[in-house]
């Protein structure tokens, strides 16, 4: 029996051929392996224990149901999520895939992504650090402040906002991609507080939102770019909350926040005509 729980959505986009996009986040893997030293092994065991409690705490606090099948390890969830997503046209990993940047976590992630035979965009979460991802690995795209995956008639645009910041260069890159004229799906870790989710954010706190009270002008510029280009931006895919939340950033631009991957949640979007 699978540990994966699929949440289905439909995103109609004019002029785009039918495609399946999968999206998950927040698996928080805490691995150790034969190459780990004693400290890495003990930290992984301790972090695993902590997340076994935390994941159920998030589910309880946000009214998400779960069953026994979802209680496999974070590493097993990551493998199962990627395996389930393998029949799509692209996969989006919206951050906090690793709980920390340990050697064992990076080896595990690299090996898991190596099995994937479809295009993917993986962005950093706040538990990951772009500068510490080595070059030449399957996940090395996570080093970049922006990533572009052209699926032919639609573009996935990954943007690293893991530190709840956006740079002027990142905004420029988004404008450049929008100028191609193809519909764009934005991928990032930290979601935007919207009118629709403002009440939930009041309870969660500023740590969970991109447009927090001390956010820079560039963050607000980024949100304005999304609003001003609502006809071109097909969706925004995010994570970080550890509960599902879907709300509009602008009319017609839905932000989908995936529920926690560490309980096997996987969003499946049928996009296009
Ligand atoms: Fe997380
Ligand atoms: Fe996060």
């Amino acid at each position: 029996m699978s540990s994966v729980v699929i949440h289905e959505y439909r995103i109609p986009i004019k002029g785009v051929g039918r495609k399946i996009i999968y999206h998950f986040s927040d698996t928080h893997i805490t691995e150790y392996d034969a190459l780990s030293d004693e400290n890495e092994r003990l930290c992984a065991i301790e972090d695993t224990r902590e997340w076994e409690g935390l994941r159920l705490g998030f589910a309880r606090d946000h009214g998400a149901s779960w069953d026994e099948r979802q209680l496999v390890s974070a590493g097993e969830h990551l493998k199962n999520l990627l395996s389930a997503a393998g029949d799509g046209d692209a996969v989006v990993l919206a951050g906090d895939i690793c709980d920390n940047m340990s050697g064992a976590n990076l080896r595990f992630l690299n090996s898991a992504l190596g099995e994937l035979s479809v295009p993917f965009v993986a962005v950093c979460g706040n538990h990951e650090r772009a500068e510490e991802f080595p070059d030449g690995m399957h996940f090395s795209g996570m080093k970049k402040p922006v990533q572009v995956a052209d699926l032919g008639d639609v573009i996935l645009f990954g943007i690293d906002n893991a530190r709840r910041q956006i740079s002027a260069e990142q905004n420029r890159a988004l404008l450049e991609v929008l100028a191609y004229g193809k519909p764009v799906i934005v991928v990032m870790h930290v979601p935007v507080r919207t009118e629709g989710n403002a009440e939930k954010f009041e309870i969660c706190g500023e740590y969970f939102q991109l447009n927090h009270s001390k956010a820079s002008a560039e963050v607000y510029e980024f949100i304005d770019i999304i609003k001003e280009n609502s006809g071109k931006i097909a969706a925004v895919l995010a994570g970080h909350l550890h509960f599902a939340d879907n709300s509009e950033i602008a009319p017609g631009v839905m932000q989908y926040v995936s529920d926690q991957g560490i309980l096997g949640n996987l969003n499946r979007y049928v996009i296009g005509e």
Side-chain angles (χ1 to χ4, degrees):
M1 280 198 290
S2 174
S3 60
V4 176
V5 181
I6 295 181
H7 308 272
E8 300 264 2
Y9 301 99
R10 177 86 180 92
I11 305 177
I13 315 173
K14 270 195 186 145
V16 172
R18 185 183 181 278
K19 291 177 187 55
I20 308 288
I21 309 270
Y22 286 99
H23 160 213
F24 66 90
S25 67
D26 300 279
T27 47
H28 287 268
I29 62 167
T30 49
E31 291 295 310
Y32 67 89
D33 61 20
L35 297 177
S36 299
D37 61 19
E38 187 60 3
N39 181 50
E40 187 168 278
R41 191 181 73 86
L42 292 175
C43 286
I45 291 168
E46 179 59 31
D47 293 343
T48 299
R49 195 173 300 130
E50 193 180 346
W51 273 104
E52 280 170 0
L54 281 172
R55 63 183 178 180
L56 298 185
F58 274 110
R60 183 194 57 233
D61 292 350
H62 299 287
S65 57
W66 53 271
D67 65 38
E68 295 280 313
R69 291 171 303 159
Q70 291 165 258
L71 299 183
V72 301
S73 72
E76 209 168 319
H77 273 307
L78 175 58
K79 281 188 185 168
N80 294 346
L81 287 163
L82 288 172
S83 164
D87 69 0
D89 294 283
V91 185
V92 163
L93 293 80
D96 282 0
I97 301 306
C98 299
D99 191 49
N100 58 51
M101 300 295 288
S102 76
N105 280 344
L106 297 187
R107 289 188 287 276
F108 191 93
L109 175 60
N110 195 48
S111 153
L113 286 175
E115 303 283 307
L116 197 59
S117 55
V118 294
F120 70 89
V121 169
V123 294
C124 280
N126 51 301
H127 282 255
E128 294 147 338
R129 279 188 295 280
E131 63 279 11
E132 290 182 24
F133 280 103
D135 287 314
M137 312 293 263
H138 296 296
F139 49 63
S140 293
M142 294 172 86
K143 295 177 74 66
K144 299 180 187 168
V146 300
Q147 299 171 67
V148 179
D150 192 338
L151 304 182
D153 47 12
V154 62
I155 290 174
L156 297 179
F157 179 82
I159 184 161
D160 179 352
N161 74 352
R163 307 268 90 80
R164 298 190 302 157
Q165 288 167 0
I166 298 277
S167 69
E169 291 74 25
Q170 287 174 309
N171 282 333
R172 257 197 303 278
L174 175 55
L175 286 169
E176 273 170 30
V177 166
L178 286 165
Y180 298 169
K182 296 180 185 179
V184 173
I185 295 174
V186 176
V187 178
M188 60 196 197
H189 183 60
V190 183
V192 172
R193 186 190 68 241
T194 66
E195 271 180 37
N197 65 24
E199 220 169 286
K200 291 180 196 167
F201 272 107
E202 278 308 312
I203 300 163
C204 303
E206 299 219 319
Y207 168 80
F208 287 97
Q209 65 196 51
L210 179 61
N211 42 345
H212 55 95
S213 61
K214 294 189 177 67
S216 66
E218 286 80 6
V219 163
Y220 287 98
E221 196 184 313
F222 170 70
I223 296 167
D224 285 344
I225 293 171
I226 292 175
K227 289 177 177 170
E228 285 158 14
N229 292 276
S230 59
K232 295 182 192 167
I233 296 183
V236 174
L237 311 182
H240 189 49
L241 296 184
H242 287 243
F243 61 90
D245 180 76
N246 304 327
S247 67
E248 282 185 328
I249 294 178
V253 184
M254 187 66 90
Q255 170 178 259
Y256 299 87
V257 180
S258 47
D259 200 345
Q260 47 188 349
I262 196 168
L263 278 178
N265 292 290
L266 180 65
N267 283 6
R268 179 180 188 271
Y269 308 94
V270 179
I271 71 160
E273 295 192 300

